Short mmCIF file of all heavy atoms in Angstrom, two decimals:
data_model
loop_
_atom_site.label_atom_id
_atom_site.label_comp_id
_atom_site.label_asym_id
_atom_site.label_seq_id
_atom_site.Cartn_x
_atom_site.Cartn_y
_atom_site.Cartn_z
N ALA O 116 106.24 86.43 96.36
CA ALA O 116 107.57 85.89 96.05
C ALA O 116 107.59 85.33 94.63
O ALA O 116 106.54 85.11 94.02
CB ALA O 116 107.92 84.77 97.03
N LEU O 117 108.79 85.09 94.13
CA LEU O 117 108.94 84.33 92.89
C LEU O 117 108.51 82.89 93.17
O LEU O 117 108.91 82.31 94.20
CB LEU O 117 110.39 84.30 92.43
CG LEU O 117 110.94 85.46 91.61
CD1 LEU O 117 112.42 85.17 91.31
CD2 LEU O 117 110.16 85.66 90.32
N PHE O 118 107.77 82.29 92.26
CA PHE O 118 107.38 80.88 92.42
C PHE O 118 108.63 80.00 92.57
O PHE O 118 108.65 79.05 93.34
CB PHE O 118 106.55 80.46 91.21
CG PHE O 118 105.98 79.08 91.25
CD1 PHE O 118 105.67 78.45 92.45
CD2 PHE O 118 105.71 78.41 90.06
CE1 PHE O 118 105.12 77.16 92.47
CE2 PHE O 118 105.16 77.14 90.07
CZ PHE O 118 104.88 76.51 91.27
N SER O 119 109.69 80.35 91.85
CA SER O 119 110.90 79.51 91.87
C SER O 119 111.63 79.54 93.21
O SER O 119 112.58 78.77 93.41
CB SER O 119 111.86 79.92 90.75
OG SER O 119 112.38 81.20 91.01
N THR O 120 111.19 80.39 94.13
CA THR O 120 111.70 80.34 95.51
C THR O 120 111.56 78.93 96.08
O THR O 120 112.37 78.51 96.91
CB THR O 120 110.90 81.33 96.39
OG1 THR O 120 110.99 82.63 95.82
CG2 THR O 120 111.41 81.36 97.82
N PHE O 121 110.52 78.22 95.63
CA PHE O 121 110.22 76.89 96.17
C PHE O 121 110.82 75.76 95.35
O PHE O 121 110.58 74.59 95.62
CB PHE O 121 108.69 76.72 96.29
CG PHE O 121 108.09 77.72 97.21
CD1 PHE O 121 107.46 78.85 96.72
CD2 PHE O 121 108.21 77.57 98.58
CE1 PHE O 121 106.93 79.80 97.57
CE2 PHE O 121 107.69 78.51 99.45
CZ PHE O 121 107.05 79.63 98.95
N SER O 122 111.56 76.12 94.30
CA SER O 122 112.12 75.12 93.39
C SER O 122 113.50 74.67 93.85
O SER O 122 114.34 75.49 94.25
CB SER O 122 112.22 75.72 91.98
OG SER O 122 112.86 74.82 91.11
N ALA O 123 113.76 73.38 93.79
CA ALA O 123 115.08 72.86 94.13
C ALA O 123 116.06 73.10 92.97
O ALA O 123 117.19 73.53 93.18
CB ALA O 123 115.00 71.37 94.46
N ARG O 124 115.59 72.83 91.76
CA ARG O 124 116.50 72.89 90.59
C ARG O 124 116.63 74.27 90.00
O ARG O 124 117.61 74.57 89.33
CB ARG O 124 116.00 71.94 89.50
CG ARG O 124 116.17 70.48 89.83
CD ARG O 124 115.70 69.61 88.68
NE ARG O 124 116.47 69.83 87.46
CZ ARG O 124 116.12 69.39 86.27
NH1 ARG O 124 115.01 68.70 86.13
NH2 ARG O 124 116.88 69.61 85.22
N TYR O 125 115.60 75.11 90.14
CA TYR O 125 115.56 76.40 89.43
C TYR O 125 115.38 77.57 90.39
O TYR O 125 114.82 78.59 90.02
CB TYR O 125 114.42 76.39 88.41
CG TYR O 125 114.42 75.23 87.46
CD1 TYR O 125 113.55 74.16 87.65
CD2 TYR O 125 115.28 75.20 86.36
CE1 TYR O 125 113.53 73.08 86.77
CE2 TYR O 125 115.27 74.13 85.49
CZ TYR O 125 114.39 73.07 85.70
OH TYR O 125 114.39 72.01 84.82
N ARG O 126 115.86 77.41 91.63
CA ARG O 126 115.58 78.43 92.65
C ARG O 126 116.06 79.81 92.21
O ARG O 126 117.20 79.98 91.79
CB ARG O 126 116.26 78.03 93.97
CG ARG O 126 115.94 79.00 95.11
CD ARG O 126 116.24 78.36 96.45
NE ARG O 126 115.41 77.17 96.63
CZ ARG O 126 115.72 76.17 97.45
NH1 ARG O 126 116.82 76.20 98.15
NH2 ARG O 126 114.91 75.14 97.55
N GLY O 127 115.15 80.77 92.29
CA GLY O 127 115.49 82.16 91.97
C GLY O 127 115.42 82.51 90.50
O GLY O 127 115.54 83.67 90.13
N GLU O 128 115.19 81.50 89.65
CA GLU O 128 115.13 81.76 88.20
C GLU O 128 113.73 82.20 87.78
O GLU O 128 112.73 81.79 88.38
CB GLU O 128 115.48 80.49 87.41
CG GLU O 128 116.93 80.09 87.50
CD GLU O 128 117.23 78.90 86.60
OE1 GLU O 128 116.70 78.83 85.48
OE2 GLU O 128 117.98 78.01 87.06
N ALA O 129 113.67 82.97 86.71
CA ALA O 129 112.39 83.33 86.12
C ALA O 129 111.86 82.16 85.31
O ALA O 129 112.64 81.42 84.68
CB ALA O 129 112.56 84.54 85.21
N VAL O 130 110.54 81.99 85.34
CA VAL O 130 109.90 81.07 84.38
C VAL O 130 109.72 81.90 83.11
O VAL O 130 108.96 82.86 83.09
CB VAL O 130 108.53 80.57 84.90
CG1 VAL O 130 107.88 79.63 83.87
CG2 VAL O 130 108.68 79.86 86.24
N PRO O 131 110.47 81.57 82.03
CA PRO O 131 110.48 82.46 80.86
C PRO O 131 109.15 82.48 80.12
O PRO O 131 108.50 81.45 79.97
CB PRO O 131 111.60 81.90 79.98
CG PRO O 131 112.06 80.64 80.59
CD PRO O 131 111.34 80.41 81.89
N ASP O 132 108.80 83.66 79.64
CA ASP O 132 107.54 83.86 78.91
C ASP O 132 107.61 83.07 77.59
O ASP O 132 108.46 83.35 76.75
CB ASP O 132 107.39 85.35 78.63
CG ASP O 132 106.05 85.69 78.00
OD1 ASP O 132 105.38 84.77 77.49
OD2 ASP O 132 105.70 86.87 78.00
N PRO O 133 106.72 82.09 77.38
CA PRO O 133 106.79 81.27 76.17
C PRO O 133 105.93 81.79 75.02
O PRO O 133 105.88 81.20 73.94
CB PRO O 133 106.22 79.93 76.66
CG PRO O 133 105.14 80.36 77.63
CD PRO O 133 105.65 81.64 78.28
N TYR O 134 105.25 82.91 75.23
CA TYR O 134 104.16 83.31 74.33
C TYR O 134 104.63 83.52 72.89
O TYR O 134 103.96 83.11 71.95
CB TYR O 134 103.50 84.58 74.86
CG TYR O 134 102.26 85.01 74.14
CD1 TYR O 134 101.11 84.22 74.13
CD2 TYR O 134 102.22 86.24 73.46
CE1 TYR O 134 99.97 84.63 73.48
CE2 TYR O 134 101.07 86.65 72.81
CZ TYR O 134 99.95 85.85 72.82
OH TYR O 134 98.81 86.25 72.17
N PHE O 135 105.79 84.16 72.73
CA PHE O 135 106.24 84.49 71.37
C PHE O 135 107.24 83.47 70.82
O PHE O 135 107.82 83.67 69.76
CB PHE O 135 106.84 85.90 71.35
CG PHE O 135 105.82 86.96 71.63
CD1 PHE O 135 105.81 87.64 72.84
CD2 PHE O 135 104.83 87.26 70.70
CE1 PHE O 135 104.86 88.61 73.12
CE2 PHE O 135 103.87 88.23 70.96
CZ PHE O 135 103.88 88.90 72.17
N GLY O 136 107.43 82.37 71.53
CA GLY O 136 108.37 81.34 71.08
C GLY O 136 107.66 80.09 70.59
O GLY O 136 106.47 80.10 70.29
N GLY O 137 108.42 78.99 70.52
CA GLY O 137 107.89 77.72 70.01
C GLY O 137 107.40 76.82 71.12
O GLY O 137 107.36 77.20 72.28
N GLU O 138 107.03 75.61 70.70
CA GLU O 138 106.46 74.62 71.63
C GLU O 138 107.44 74.27 72.75
O GLU O 138 107.03 73.97 73.87
CB GLU O 138 106.14 73.32 70.89
CG GLU O 138 105.45 73.50 69.54
CD GLU O 138 103.97 73.64 69.67
OE1 GLU O 138 103.41 72.99 70.56
OE2 GLU O 138 103.36 74.40 68.89
N GLN O 139 108.74 74.32 72.42
CA GLN O 139 109.76 73.95 73.40
C GLN O 139 109.69 74.81 74.65
O GLN O 139 109.96 74.34 75.76
CB GLN O 139 111.13 74.11 72.74
CG GLN O 139 112.19 73.20 73.25
CD GLN O 139 113.52 73.51 72.56
OE1 GLN O 139 113.57 73.81 71.37
NE2 GLN O 139 114.58 73.47 73.34
N GLY O 140 109.31 76.07 74.45
CA GLY O 140 109.20 76.99 75.58
C GLY O 140 108.16 76.52 76.58
O GLY O 140 108.31 76.74 77.79
N PHE O 141 107.13 75.88 76.08
CA PHE O 141 106.06 75.40 76.96
C PHE O 141 106.50 74.18 77.77
O PHE O 141 106.05 73.99 78.89
CB PHE O 141 104.79 75.14 76.15
CG PHE O 141 104.13 76.41 75.66
CD1 PHE O 141 104.58 77.03 74.50
CD2 PHE O 141 103.11 76.99 76.38
CE1 PHE O 141 104.00 78.22 74.06
CE2 PHE O 141 102.53 78.18 75.96
CZ PHE O 141 102.98 78.80 74.79
N GLU O 142 107.39 73.38 77.17
CA GLU O 142 107.95 72.24 77.92
C GLU O 142 108.86 72.74 79.04
O GLU O 142 108.83 72.22 80.15
CB GLU O 142 108.74 71.32 76.97
CG GLU O 142 107.91 70.70 75.87
CD GLU O 142 106.74 69.86 76.39
OE1 GLU O 142 106.84 69.30 77.50
OE2 GLU O 142 105.71 69.80 75.69
N ARG O 143 109.65 73.75 78.72
CA ARG O 143 110.53 74.36 79.73
C ARG O 143 109.69 74.92 80.89
O ARG O 143 110.02 74.73 82.07
CB ARG O 143 111.34 75.47 79.07
CG ARG O 143 112.12 76.35 80.01
CD ARG O 143 113.47 75.76 80.33
NE ARG O 143 114.27 76.65 81.17
CZ ARG O 143 115.26 76.24 81.95
NH1 ARG O 143 115.58 74.96 81.99
NH2 ARG O 143 115.94 77.08 82.68
N VAL O 144 108.63 75.62 80.55
CA VAL O 144 107.72 76.18 81.57
C VAL O 144 107.21 75.05 82.48
O VAL O 144 107.25 75.17 83.71
CB VAL O 144 106.54 76.92 80.90
CG1 VAL O 144 105.40 77.16 81.88
CG2 VAL O 144 107.03 78.24 80.30
N LEU O 145 106.77 73.95 81.88
CA LEU O 145 106.23 72.85 82.69
C LEU O 145 107.30 72.19 83.54
O LEU O 145 107.06 71.83 84.69
CB LEU O 145 105.54 71.82 81.79
CG LEU O 145 104.19 72.26 81.23
CD1 LEU O 145 103.71 71.29 80.17
CD2 LEU O 145 103.14 72.41 82.33
N ASP O 146 108.51 72.04 82.99
CA ASP O 146 109.61 71.46 83.77
C ASP O 146 109.86 72.30 85.03
O ASP O 146 110.01 71.76 86.14
CB ASP O 146 110.90 71.39 82.95
CG ASP O 146 110.84 70.36 81.83
OD1 ASP O 146 109.94 69.51 81.84
OD2 ASP O 146 111.71 70.44 80.94
N MET O 147 109.91 73.60 84.84
CA MET O 147 110.20 74.49 85.97
C MET O 147 109.05 74.49 86.97
O MET O 147 109.26 74.46 88.19
CB MET O 147 110.47 75.91 85.46
CG MET O 147 111.70 76.01 84.60
SD MET O 147 112.11 77.70 84.12
CE MET O 147 112.96 78.27 85.59
N ILE O 148 107.84 74.51 86.44
CA ILE O 148 106.65 74.56 87.30
C ILE O 148 106.48 73.27 88.11
O ILE O 148 106.12 73.30 89.29
CB ILE O 148 105.41 74.85 86.43
CG1 ILE O 148 105.37 76.34 86.09
CG2 ILE O 148 104.14 74.37 87.09
CD1 ILE O 148 104.31 76.68 85.06
N GLU O 149 106.76 72.13 87.49
CA GLU O 149 106.64 70.86 88.21
C GLU O 149 107.60 70.83 89.39
O GLU O 149 107.23 70.38 90.49
CB GLU O 149 106.91 69.68 87.27
CG GLU O 149 105.74 69.41 86.34
CD GLU O 149 106.00 68.31 85.32
OE1 GLU O 149 107.16 67.86 85.19
OE2 GLU O 149 105.05 67.92 84.64
N ASP O 150 108.82 71.33 89.19
CA ASP O 150 109.81 71.31 90.26
C ASP O 150 109.42 72.26 91.39
O ASP O 150 109.48 71.91 92.58
CB ASP O 150 111.19 71.67 89.70
CG ASP O 150 112.29 71.29 90.66
OD1 ASP O 150 112.51 70.07 90.85
OD2 ASP O 150 112.89 72.19 91.27
#
Side-chain angles (χ1 to χ4, degrees):
L117 276 179
F118 184 28
S119 68
T120 303
F121 299 100
S122 175
R124 289 182 62 192
Y125 307 102
R126 184 162 299 157
E128 290 185 40
V130 179
D132 186 344
Y134 188 64
F135 294 107
E138 316 275 325
Q139 209 183 321
F141 289 83
E142 298 302 331
R143 170 86 176 157
V144 164
L145 286 170
D146 290 345
M147 295 185 82
I148 282 171
E149 284 176 350
D150 196 69

